[in-house]
Amino acid sequence: MLLGLFFLLCCWACSAKSDDAKQCHQFTDLNLNNAIVGTGLEVQLLLYTRENKDCAGNLNKENSTAFKYVNVTRKFTFIIHGYRPTGSPPVWIDDIVNDMLSLEDMNVIIVDWNRGATTIIYHSAAARTKKVAVILKKLIDDLLKEGASLESIYMIGVSLGAHIAGFVGSMYNGKLGRITGLDPAGPLFSGKPPDERLDPTDALFVDVIHTDIDALGYRENLGHIDFYPNGGTDQPGCPQTIFSGSQYWKCDHQRSVFLYLSSLKQSCDVMTYPCDSYKDYRSGKCANCDAYLPLTCPTLGYNADAWKDHFVLKNPPVTKAFFDTAKKEPFCMFHYFLDITSWNKSVRRGYITIKLMTKEGHTTESVIDHEAATFEQYSQTSLLAKFDQDFENIYRMSLKYYSGTVIGPKYKLRVLRIRLRSLADPDRPQLCRYDFVLLENVETIFKPIPCEKMQM
């Protein structure tokens, strides 16, 4: 009987050890009560690979078995969240892990510092960022001893996490492969010197997406290239009033994450345009990307490093890129130039709305109203039109002209020629229409023809 009991105890011990080896670690889930009381700093380094994509191991847990999944010949992608005022896990964690591993065979490490980031006192969370960076450096040092390279380290930091990535990069004298900052935190970091925030010298390539520069995000350049979707302020589809609740405060800030996630799915490329200002981009002054040939204009997100050499070799190595997005995933906008040659004797000023239609009845519209365009006799005015759908076969088009005057006479815009040409696909046949009149506030529908037919 004693022998049987001893056997059962041994089996239980083996089973417990086996269960511990298979333990799947979860991102720390806290609540508002934790935020009010406050949390001390604890960090989990959750490893996912294609071999354990559904069961994370904790790399900083003593005697962790997770290291058996580490392959030092592969890229290491660290994902670092930011301030968590309510304690709940970020809603995008599972998506970014799955999408990363679907895209490339790599080591994905979620840096879970929710115990430390969860507090109603933002200053407390910000003060812990350098401590998190020290913990990450210890892990990277261990990986380097096992044969990993600094160039294989890629850090993606969200809000406060972007500055944590910068601190880590600074500890290695900017030798990390890449840092992506997703709307780096502005409060307590704006105006700080480079060693107190993310900076282009923190990695071999630093790219940054700014989506909330007028509130929670950082306004100025922080990378080799800084992307400013929709000018970096109000993002389409986000609430515009405080009555929308918490989404009013966080939607613009979080949009940087969802734009990046969309790039991982690769359903379409979000094209961006290096430019001095958002106004110049919307005016069509920055549509020429010949400087990047044989590449196109830079694209947002995961593949932005394809343009690395162009950005890093600039003097100074600072580039701003502007673009507009749709209000929902996949966020892509398709850019065209609408060239209008007028034959009015008098100068006309106003705004244009253009609509494209397919034979099946699908439509997409661009309202070009950021500033009044000027139409002079026999002069071509080129307007940048952006659509949330791209039709290869455009069956009909419509134009509407609006002078912007509330009272007074209605005007006509006499058109000698309009031409529609794609920026993303310059080889696509251009569409034209000749000799017609736009009555103010009246939609004029017509069937366009290939421009080359009229040139023969």
Coordinates of all heavy atoms in Angstrom, one line a residue, residues 385-427:
A385 N -7.6 64.3 -56.4 CA -8.9 63.7 -56.0 C -8.5 62.3 -55.4 O -7.7 61.6 -55.9 CB -9.8 63.5 -57.2
K386 N -9.2 62.0 -54.3 CA -8.9 60.8 -53.5 C -10.2 60.0 -53.4 O -11.2 60.5 -52.9 CB -8.3 61.1 -52.2 CG -7.0 61.8 -52.2 CD -6.7 62.7 -51.1 CE -7.5 64.0 -51.2 NZ -7.2 65.0 -50.2
F387 N -10.1 58.7 -53.7 CA -11.3 57.9 -53.7 C -11.0 56.7 -52.8 O -9.9 56.2 -52.7 CB -11.7 57.3 -55.1 CG -11.9 58.4 -56.1 CD1 -10.9 58.9 -56.9 CD2 -13.2 59.0 -56.2 CE1 -11.1 59.9 -57.8 CE2 -13.4 60.0 -57.1 CZ -12.4 60.5 -57.9
D388 N -12.1 56.2 -52.1 CA -11.9 55.0 -51.2 C -12.1 53.7 -52.0 O -12.0 52.6 -51.4 CB -12.8 55.1 -50.0 CG -14.3 55.1 -50.4 OD1 -14.6 54.9 -51.6 OD2 -15.1 55.2 -49.5
Q389 N -12.3 53.8 -53.3 CA -12.4 52.6 -54.1 C -11.7 52.9 -55.4 O -11.6 54.0 -55.8 CB -13.8 52.1 -54.4 CG -14.6 51.7 -53.2 CD -16.0 51.3 -53.6 OE1 -16.3 50.3 -54.1 NE2 -17.0 52.2 -53.3
D390 N -11.1 51.8 -56.0 CA -10.4 52.0 -57.3 C -11.0 51.2 -58.4 O -11.0 49.9 -58.3 CB -8.9 51.7 -57.1 CG -8.1 52.1 -58.3 OD1 -8.5 53.1 -58.9 OD2 -7.0 51.6 -58.5
F391 N -11.7 51.8 -59.3 CA -12.4 51.1 -60.4 C -11.5 51.0 -61.7 O -11.1 52.1 -62.2 CB -13.7 51.8 -60.8 CG -14.7 51.9 -59.6 CD1 -15.5 53.0 -59.5 CD2 -14.7 50.9 -58.7 CE1 -16.4 53.1 -58.5 CE2 -15.6 51.0 -57.6 CZ -16.5 52.1 -57.5
E392 N -11.2 49.8 -62.1 CA -10.4 49.7 -63.4 C -11.2 50.1 -64.6 O -10.7 50.7 -65.5 CB -9.9 48.3 -63.5 CG -8.8 48.0 -62.5 CD -7.9 46.8 -63.0 OE1 -7.9 46.5 -64.2 OE2 -7.2 46.3 -62.2
N393 N -12.5 49.8 -64.5 CA -13.4 50.2 -65.7 C -14.4 51.2 -65.2 O -15.4 50.8 -64.6 CB -14.1 48.9 -66.2 CG -13.1 47.9 -66.7 OD1 -12.3 48.2 -67.6 ND2 -13.1 46.7 -66.2
I394 N -14.2 52.4 -65.5 CA -15.1 53.5 -65.2 C -16.1 53.7 -66.3 O -15.7 54.1 -67.4 CB -14.3 54.8 -64.9 CG1 -13.3 54.6 -63.7 CG2 -15.2 56.0 -64.6 CD1 -12.3 55.7 -63.4
Y395 N -17.3 53.5 -66.0 CA -18.4 53.6 -67.1 C -18.9 55.0 -67.2 O -19.1 55.5 -68.3 CB -19.5 52.7 -66.7 CG -20.6 52.6 -67.8 CD1 -20.3 52.1 -69.0 CD2 -21.9 53.0 -67.5 CE1 -21.3 52.0 -70.0 CE2 -22.9 52.9 -68.4 CZ -22.6 52.4 -69.7 OH -23.6 52.3 -70.6
R396 N -19.1 55.7 -66.1 CA -19.6 57.1 -66.1 C -18.9 57.9 -65.0 O -18.4 57.3 -64.0 CB -21.1 57.1 -65.9 CG -22.0 56.5 -67.0 CD -23.4 56.9 -66.8 NE -24.3 56.2 -67.8 CZ -24.4 56.7 -69.1 NH1 -23.8 57.8 -69.4 NH2 -25.2 56.0 -69.9
M397 N -18.9 59.2 -65.2 CA -18.4 60.1 -64.3 C -19.4 61.2 -64.1 O -20.3 61.5 -64.9 CB -17.1 60.8 -64.8 CG -15.9 59.8 -64.8 SD -14.5 60.6 -65.7 CE -14.3 62.1 -64.7
S398 N -19.3 61.9 -62.9 CA -20.1 63.1 -62.8 C -19.2 64.2 -62.1 O -18.3 63.9 -61.3 CB -21.4 62.9 -62.0 OG -21.1 62.8 -60.6
L399 N -19.5 65.5 -62.4 CA -18.9 66.6 -61.8 C -19.9 67.6 -61.3 O -21.0 67.7 -61.9 CB -18.0 67.3 -62.8 CG -16.7 66.6 -63.3 CD1 -16.0 67.4 -64.3 CD2 -15.8 66.2 -62.2
K400 N -19.6 68.2 -60.2 CA -20.4 69.3 -59.6 C -19.5 70.4 -59.2 O -18.6 70.2 -58.5 CB -21.3 68.8 -58.5 CG -22.3 69.8 -58.0 CD -23.4 69.2 -57.2 CE -23.0 68.6 -55.9 NZ -24.1 68.1 -55.0
Y401 N -19.9 71.6 -59.6 CA -19.1 72.8 -59.3 C -19.9 73.7 -58.3 O -21.1 73.8 -58.4 CB -18.9 73.6 -60.6 CG -18.4 75.0 -60.4 CD1 -17.2 75.3 -59.9 CD2 -19.3 76.1 -60.7 CE1 -16.7 76.6 -59.7 CE2 -18.8 77.4 -60.5 CZ -17.6 77.7 -60.0 OH -17.1 79.0 -59.8
Y402 N -19.2 74.2 -57.3 CA -19.8 75.1 -56.3 C -18.9 76.2 -56.1 O -17.7 76.1 -55.8 CB -20.0 74.3 -55.0 CG -20.4 75.1 -53.8 CD1 -21.5 75.9 -53.9 CD2 -19.7 75.0 -52.6 CE1 -21.9 76.7 -52.7 CE2 -20.1 75.7 -51.5 CZ -21.2 76.6 -51.6 OH -21.5 77.3 -50.5
S403 N -19.4 77.5 -56.2 CA -18.5 78.7 -56.1 C -18.2 79.1 -54.7 O -17.3 79.8 -54.4 CB -19.2 79.8 -56.8 OG -20.4 80.2 -56.1
G404 N -19.0 78.6 -53.7 CA -18.8 78.9 -52.3 C -19.6 80.1 -51.9 O -19.6 80.5 -50.7
T405 N -20.3 80.8 -52.8 CA -21.1 82.0 -52.4 C -22.5 81.5 -52.0 O -23.2 80.7 -52.6 CB -21.3 82.9 -53.6 OG1 -21.9 82.3 -54.7 CG2 -19.9 83.4 -54.0
V406 N -23.0 82.1 -50.9 CA -24.3 81.8 -50.3 C -25.4 82.6 -51.0 O -26.5 82.1 -51.3 CB -24.3 82.0 -48.8 CG1 -25.7 81.7 -48.2 CG2 -23.2 81.1 -48.1
I407 N -25.1 83.9 -51.2 CA -26.0 84.8 -51.8 C -25.4 85.3 -53.1 O -24.2 85.2 -53.3 CB -26.4 85.9 -50.9 CG1 -25.2 86.7 -50.5 CG2 -27.2 85.4 -49.7 CD1 -25.5 88.0 -49.7
G408 N -26.2 85.8 -54.0 CA -25.7 86.3 -55.3 C -26.0 85.4 -56.4 O -26.7 84.4 -56.2
P409 N -25.5 85.7 -57.6 CA -25.8 84.9 -58.8 C -25.2 83.5 -58.8 O -24.2 83.3 -58.1 CB -25.2 85.7 -59.9 CG -24.1 86.5 -59.3 CD -24.6 86.8 -57.9
K410 N -25.8 82.6 -59.5 CA -25.2 81.3 -59.7 C -24.3 81.4 -60.9 O -24.6 82.0 -61.9 CB -26.3 80.2 -59.9 CG -27.3 80.1 -58.8 CD -26.6 79.5 -57.5 CE -27.5 79.3 -56.4 NZ -26.9 78.9 -55.1
Y411 N -23.2 80.7 -60.8 CA -22.2 80.8 -61.8 C -22.1 79.5 -62.7 O -22.6 78.5 -62.3 CB -20.8 81.1 -61.2 CG -20.6 82.4 -60.6 CD1 -20.8 82.6 -59.3 CD2 -20.4 83.6 -61.4 CE1 -20.7 83.9 -58.7 CE2 -20.3 84.8 -60.9 CZ -20.4 85.0 -59.5 OH -20.3 86.2 -58.9
K412 N -21.5 79.7 -63.8 CA -21.3 78.5 -64.7 C -19.7 78.4 -64.9 O -19.0 79.3 -64.9 CB -21.9 78.7 -66.1 CG -23.4 78.9 -66.1 CD -23.9 79.2 -67.5 CE -25.4 79.3 -67.6 NZ -25.8 79.6 -69.0
L413 N -19.3 77.1 -64.9 CA -17.9 76.8 -65.3 C -17.9 76.2 -66.6 O -18.4 75.0 -66.8 CB -17.3 75.9 -64.2 CG -15.8 75.6 -64.4 CD1 -15.0 76.9 -64.4 CD2 -15.3 74.6 -63.4
R414 N -17.4 76.9 -67.6 CA -17.3 76.4 -69.0 C -16.0 75.6 -69.1 O -14.9 76.1 -68.8 CB -17.3 77.5 -70.0 CG -18.6 78.4 -69.8 CD -18.6 79.5 -70.8 NE -19.7 80.4 -70.6 CZ -20.9 80.2 -71.1 NH1 -21.2 79.2 -71.9 NH2 -21.9 81.0 -70.8
V415 N -16.1 74.3 -69.4 CA -15.0 73.4 -69.5 C -14.6 73.1 -70.9 O -15.4 72.6 -71.7 CB -15.3 72.1 -68.7 CG1 -14.1 71.1 -68.8 CG2 -15.6 72.4 -67.2
L416 N -13.3 73.3 -71.2 CA -12.8 73.0 -72.5 C -12.4 71.5 -72.5 O -12.6 70.8 -73.5 CB -11.5 73.8 -72.9 CG -11.0 73.7 -74.3 CD1 -12.0 74.2 -75.3 CD2 -9.7 74.6 -74.4
R417 N -11.8 71.0 -71.4 CA -11.4 69.6 -71.3 C -11.2 69.3 -69.8 O -10.7 70.1 -69.0 CB -10.1 69.3 -72.0 CG -9.7 67.9 -72.0 CD -8.3 67.6 -72.4 NE -7.3 68.1 -71.4 CZ -6.0 67.8 -71.4 NH1 -5.5 67.2 -72.5 NH2 -5.2 68.3 -70.5
I418 N -11.7 68.0 -69.5 CA -11.3 67.5 -68.2 C -10.5 66.2 -68.5 O -10.7 65.5 -69.5 CB -12.5 67.2 -67.3 CG1 -13.4 66.1 -67.8 CG2 -13.2 68.4 -66.9 CD1 -13.2 64.7 -67.2
R419 N -9.5 65.9 -67.6 CA -8.7 64.7 -67.8 C -8.5 64.0 -66.4 O -8.2 64.7 -65.5 CB -7.4 65.0 -68.4 CG -6.5 63.7 -68.6 CD -5.2 64.1 -69.3 NE -4.4 65.1 -68.5 CZ -3.2 65.6 -68.9 NH1 -2.7 65.2 -70.1 NH2 -2.6 66.5 -68.2
L420 N -8.8 62.7 -66.3 CA -8.6 62.0 -65.1 C -7.4 61.0 -65.3 O -7.4 60.2 -66.1 CB -9.9 61.2 -64.7 CG -9.8 60.5 -63.3 CD1 -9.9 61.6 -62.2 CD2 -11.0 59.6 -63.2
R421 N -6.4 61.2 -64.4 CA -5.2 60.3 -64.5 C -4.8 59.7 -63.1 O -4.8 60.4 -62.1 CB -4.0 61.0 -65.1 CG -3.7 62.4 -64.6 CD -2.8 63.2 -65.4 NE -2.6 64.6 -64.9 CZ -1.6 65.0 -64.2 NH1 -0.6 64.1 -63.8 NH2 -1.5 66.3 -63.8
S422 N -4.5 58.4 -63.1 CA -4.2 57.7 -61.9 C -2.7 58.0 -61.5 O -1.8 57.9 -62.3 CB -4.4 56.2 -62.1 OG -3.9 55.5 -61.0
L423 N -2.5 58.3 -60.2 CA -1.2 58.5 -59.7 C -0.5 57.1 -59.4 O 0.6 56.9 -59.6 CB -1.2 59.3 -58.4 CG -0.9 60.8 -58.6 CD1 -2.1 61.4 -59.3 CD2 -0.7 61.5 -57.2
A424 N -1.3 56.2 -58.8 CA -0.8 54.9 -58.4 C -0.4 54.0 -59.6 O 0.5 53.2 -59.6 CB -1.8 54.1 -57.5
D425 N -1.1 54.2 -60.7 CA -0.9 53.4 -61.9 C -0.8 54.4 -63.1 O -1.8 54.5 -63.9 CB -2.0 52.4 -62.1 CG -1.8 51.4 -63.3 OD1 -0.7 51.5 -63.9 OD2 -2.7 50.6 -63.5
P426 N 0.3 55.0 -63.3 CA 0.4 56.0 -64.4 C 0.2 55.4 -65.8 O -0.1 56.1 -66.8 CB 1.9 56.5 -64.3 CG 2.3 56.2 -62.9 CD 1.5 54.9 -62.6
D427 N 0.4 54.1 -66.0 CA 0.2 53.4 -67.3 C -1.3 53.2 -67.6 O -1.6 52.8 -68.7 CB 0.9 52.1 -67.3 CG 2.4 52.3 -67.2 OD1 2.9 53.4 -67.7 OD2 3.1 51.4 -66.7

